[in-house]
């Protein structure tokens, strides 16, 4: 028992790495998550609307994007954008954040597009019809009447996407990050390599949980509230 | 002869293979209150929804105050400002207060300033007897109150004609009267109205004309009392004997 605690919960190691973990690891994880999610939201909204468009080519385009990036392993997309693309097109990413956020955002966008589409379709048709019958053009009705209601419906699933994204940032390490750019897992693995103390990974796990558990709790609360208001 | 408010010529509407409207001709003049009755599935809603093009007609022509709204270049959003519509399910915007429900189109479509829009909204709310509910949310209102807000919302645009699709069918019986009273007052003030309804009392009292639809055609039309008391067709006889 003591050996177990000694091996996995070495307070000394954990406290030593804590400042760096917060300043670099957690900070970068949050940055990558927020940036990737923002991009995902924009792409998700655009492709959800295209998916519901009356123009067949646009629907098809959106469908392809969604199926493609939901069907591929995230890791493949990351390596493709971060490594394969620069080789093919002969350029260099100026830093690792750019391809990282791009890959996360593009993939998150595919999932979010489906979530938003479902949200829009969950708003009763009569809402759009009532708005149109007042003389509102389709776009205006979508923006002021349908989307606000759709977003209220999809806050819980969107928060779930956010949780997934927090965890997925750890995959970006494959692009090779330098000091200062490391997110939680990479930072902790480097500590593990240096100290050979497994507690480093436990610290990483705790850091992720500190971010994700409040979010999943929040989802639970929101879902309960949504159910009640129906 | 004055231009009719609504004129429908040989309107056909298909849903896929199903022909729901089989050649409707219709004329509604100013200040008429035309009540559309008929069995479920006969195409009443579809006809009404074609009149403001919530449904696209398959063929035929529809004129609103002389403008062909089925013509290619027609700006339907402009036409709809002159054609108010009230739905069976009210369709208030649940994320907005009663006041915002009414002002949103005034502000965003008619581009009125907030103050002017609010003034109109309050005036219309007063008209439907709900001046004190401006700040409530739809969910806090009874069905009857919601429907009256929906009427106020449509009236705020100053329409020349109002379409009602079974406005009281979703209401508890004790709430029907308030809504019908508002509609009756509207008719007395000279609003042109087209009302799909099962309220035969209202049709007899307020309606200037009645249209009995079945199988996607107008089977019979005339003064409400005449249709109700002496229906000519077998179908109408049978229908009225069931609903009266
Ligand atoms: N969007 C649609 N797609 C396919 N079929 C439809 C659609 N809307 C209506 N229909 C069909 O068209 C027919 C006429 O429907 P409509 O709603 O106009 O009837 P109604 O006279 O209003 O009936 P009710 O009294 O039940 O409201 C019905 O058979 C209905 O199933
Ligand atoms: Mg109907």
């Amino acid at each position: 028992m003591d050996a177990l605690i000694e091996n996995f919960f070495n307070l000394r190691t954990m406290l030593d790495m804590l400042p760096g973990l917060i300043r670099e690891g957690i900070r970068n994880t949050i940055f990558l998550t927020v940036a990737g999610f923002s991009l995902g939201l924009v792409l998700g909204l655009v492709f959800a609307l295209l998916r519901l468009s009356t123009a067949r080519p646009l629907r098809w385009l959106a469908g392809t994007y969604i199926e493609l990036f939901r069907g591929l392993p995230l890791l493949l997309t990351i390596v493709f954008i971060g490594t394969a693309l620069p080789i093919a097109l002969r350029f260099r990413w100026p830093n690792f954040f750019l391809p990282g956020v791009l890959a996360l955002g593009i993939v998150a966008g595919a999932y979010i597009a489906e979530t938003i589409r479902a949200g829009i379709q969950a708003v009763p048709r009569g809402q759009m019809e009532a708005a149109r019958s007042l003389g509102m053009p389709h776009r205006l009705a979508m923006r002021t009447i349908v989307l606000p209601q759709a977003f209220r419906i999809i806050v819980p699933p969107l928060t779930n996407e956010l949780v997934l994204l927090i965890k997925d940032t750890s995959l970006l390490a494959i692009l090779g990050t330098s000091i200062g750019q490391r997110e939680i897992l990479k930072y902790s693995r480097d500590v593990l390599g240096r100290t050979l103390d497994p507690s480093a990974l436990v610290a990483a796990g705790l850091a992720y949980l500190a971010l994700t558990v409040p979010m999943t709790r929040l989802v639970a609360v929101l879902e309960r509230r949504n159910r009640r208001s129906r | 002869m004055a231009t009719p408010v609504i004129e429908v010529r040989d309107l056909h509407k298909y849903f896929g293979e199903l022909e729901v409207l089989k050649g409707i001709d219709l004329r509604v003049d100013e200040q008429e209150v035309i009540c559309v009755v008929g069995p479920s599935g006969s195409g009443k809603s579809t006809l009404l929804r074609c009149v403001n093009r919530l449904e696209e007609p398959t063929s035929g022509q529809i004129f609103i105050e002389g403008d062909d709204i089925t013509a290619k270049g027609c700006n339907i959003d402009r036409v709809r400002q002159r054609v108010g519509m009230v739905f069976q399910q009210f369709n208030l915007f649940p994320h907005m207060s009663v006041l915002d429900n009414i002002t949103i189109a005034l502000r965003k479509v008619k581009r009125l300033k907030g103050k002017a829009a609010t003034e109109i909204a309050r005036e219309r709310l007063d008209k439907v007897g709900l001046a004190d509910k401006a700040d409530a949310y739809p969910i806090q209102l009874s069905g009857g109150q919601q429907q009256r807000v929906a009427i106020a919302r449509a009236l705020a645009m100053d329409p020349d004609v109002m379409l009602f699709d079974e406005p009281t069918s979703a209401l508890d019986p004790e709430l029907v009267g308030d809504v019908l009273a508002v509609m009756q007052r509207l008719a007395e003030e000279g609003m042109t109205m087209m009302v799909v309804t099962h309220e035969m009392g209202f049709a007899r009292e307020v309606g200037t004309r009645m249209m009995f639809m079945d199988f996607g055609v107008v089977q019979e039309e005339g003064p409400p009392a005449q249709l109700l008391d002496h229906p000519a067709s077998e179908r109408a006889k049978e229908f009225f004997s069931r609903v009266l």
Side-chain angles (χ1 to χ4, degrees):
Chain A
M1 189 63 196
D2 280 355
L4 189 80
I5 291 178
E6 178 72 16
N7 268 330
F8 288 107
F9 293 95
N10 187 332
L11 218 51
R12 174 92 225 193
T13 311
M14 286 159 104
L15 283 178
D16 276 350
M17 69 183 282
L18 190 61
L21 183 63
I22 291 175
R23 235 181 302 117
E24 183 175 342
I26 293 184
R27 187 160 158 263
N28 283 329
T29 291
I30 290 178
F31 170 76
L32 289 164
T33 304
V34 170
F37 193 70
S38 307
L39 178 61
L41 268 183
V42 173
L43 290 174
L45 180 59
V46 169
F47 281 97
L49 291 173
L50 291 180
R51 189 97 176 101
L52 294 170
S53 146
T54 48
R56 192 180 299 245
L58 295 181
R59 277 207 308 273
W60 184 85
L61 179 78
T64 307
Y65 163 78
I66 291 167
E67 290 305 327
L68 186 64
F69 289 106
R70 289 199 315 169
L72 294 174
L74 175 55
L75 206 49
L76 190 152
T77 306
I78 291 171
V79 177
F80 186 86
I81 292 177
T83 312
L85 216 54
I87 294 175
L89 302 179
R90 295 170 204 290
F91 71 99
R92 241 172 190 296
W93 291 110
N95 57 50
F96 126 96
F97 289 111
L98 204 56
V101 168
L102 215 53
L104 286 181
I106 287 174
V107 174
Y111 286 94
I112 292 174
E114 278 299 85
T115 306
I116 294 180
R117 180 191 58 76
I120 290 174
Q121 288 181 327
V123 176
R125 242 170 44 128
Q127 291 291 309
M128 176 58 95
E129 291 181 349
R132 297 303 307 274
S133 77
L134 291 165
M136 290 192 196
H138 184 273
R139 231 167 230 263
L140 176 65
M142 184 55 92
R143 190 160 49 78
T144 59
I145 306 300
V146 177
L147 283 181
Q149 296 183 59
F151 270 100
R152 207 167 296 186
I153 296 171
I154 63 176
V155 165
L158 274 187
T159 316
N160 270 330
E161 308 284 355
L162 190 60
V163 170
L164 290 177
L165 210 56
I166 292 174
K167 299 186 288 184
D168 285 344
T169 53
S170 61
L171 296 174
L172 295 178
I174 196 165
L175 295 180
T177 46
S178 48
I179 308 271
Q181 303 184 333
R182 295 168 296 184
E183 37 63 57
I184 294 174
L185 184 59
K186 181 68 168 92
Y187 184 88
S188 306
R189 274 167 51 211
D190 286 354
V191 174
L192 174 68
R194 204 171 60 239
T195 62
L196 296 180
D197 185 343
S199 306
L201 276 195
V202 174
L206 291 175
Y208 279 113
L209 290 176
L211 295 176
T212 54
V213 169
M215 307 239 76
T216 51
R217 295 320 306 155
L218 182 68
V219 174
V221 171
L222 289 173
E223 278 181 337
R224 221 172 309 133
R225 223 181 45 188
N226 253 356
R227 247 201 316 279
R228 234 177 318 159
S229 71
R230 288 243 176 92
Chain B
M1 222 165 20
T3 317
V5 181
I6 302 173
E7 190 179 0
V8 175
R9 286 189 204 154
D10 196 28
L11 172 65
H12 291 257
K13 171 67 184 175
Y14 283 82
F15 287 113
E17 298 283 283
L18 180 70
E19 187 174 21
V20 175
L21 298 178
K22 305 172 183 165
I24 305 275
D25 290 283
L26 167 74
R27 178 190 165 108
V28 182
D29 285 302
E30 227 172 284
Q31 308 211 342
E32 271 198 292
V33 177
I34 178 157
C35 294
V36 184
V37 301
S40 182
S42 56
K44 309 179 296 291
S45 297
T46 307
L47 169 61
L48 203 68
R49 292 159 57 82
C50 281
V51 169
N52 68 352
R53 258 180 60 193
L54 281 184
E55 299 291 355
E56 287 297 330
T58 308
S59 70
Q61 282 177 301
I62 299 168
F63 300 86
I64 301 292
E65 297 173 319
D67 298 332
D68 185 352
I69 67 164
T70 48
K72 259 215 155 62
C74 167
N75 182 345
I76 192 64
D77 294 325
R78 293 205 73 103
V79 174
R80 283 181 179 142
Q81 294 180 41
R82 292 183 273 149
V83 183
M85 186 161 202
V86 175
F87 301 84
Q88 183 174 349
Q89 298 298 336
F90 330 134
N91 295 343
L92 293 185
F93 308 134
H95 59 304
M96 293 180 179
S97 69
V98 162
L99 197 68
D100 288 341
N101 261 274
I102 303 177
T103 58
I104 177 105
L106 291 173
R107 287 180 284 122
K108 305 270 179 182
V109 177
K110 289 207 162 171
R111 305 223 163 268
L112 295 188
K113 290 269 184 301
K115 197 151 163 278
T118 305
E119 228 163 80
I120 294 177
R122 289 196 187 279
E123 196 272 325
R124 298 300 189 277
L125 271 179
D126 195 38
K127 197 176 173 122
V128 300
L130 292 173
D132 55 333
K133 297 293 184 191
D135 298 320
Y137 276 79
I139 198 164
Q140 300 167 312
L141 303 180
S142 74
Q145 292 172 329
Q146 290 191 43
Q147 192 60 298
R148 280 143 68 198
V149 170
I151 294 173
R153 178 174 70 178
L155 288 177
M157 300 300 284
D158 265 327
D160 296 330
V161 53
M162 288 279 287
L163 311 175
F164 294 84
D165 191 359
E166 300 198 33
T168 58
S169 292
L171 298 179
D172 293 335
E174 72 271 20
L175 301 176
V176 168
D178 289 342
V179 173
L180 291 182
V182 167
M183 291 170 60
Q184 173 155 17
R185 203 157 350 112
L186 205 54
E188 284 161 1
E189 288 169 9
M191 177 62 78
T192 310
M193 295 164 53
M194 185 166 170
V195 187
V196 175
T197 185
H198 292 296
E199 296 291 334
M200 297 305 161
F202 173 87
R204 184 191 289 272
E205 185 128 338
V206 182
T208 57
R209 197 149 48 102
M210 184 182 261
M211 225 174 92
F212 172 71
M213 274 184 77
D214 202 5
F215 298 117
V217 294
V218 178
Q219 301 276 356
E220 219 174 299
E221 82 171 88
Q226 181 191 318
L227 252 74
L228 287 165
D229 299 334
H230 310 287
S233 63
E234 278 308 311
R235 296 288 307 170
K237 265 181 210 156
E238 194 203 306
F239 174 75
F240 288 126
S241 74
R242 250 186 302 123
V243 297
L244 285 176

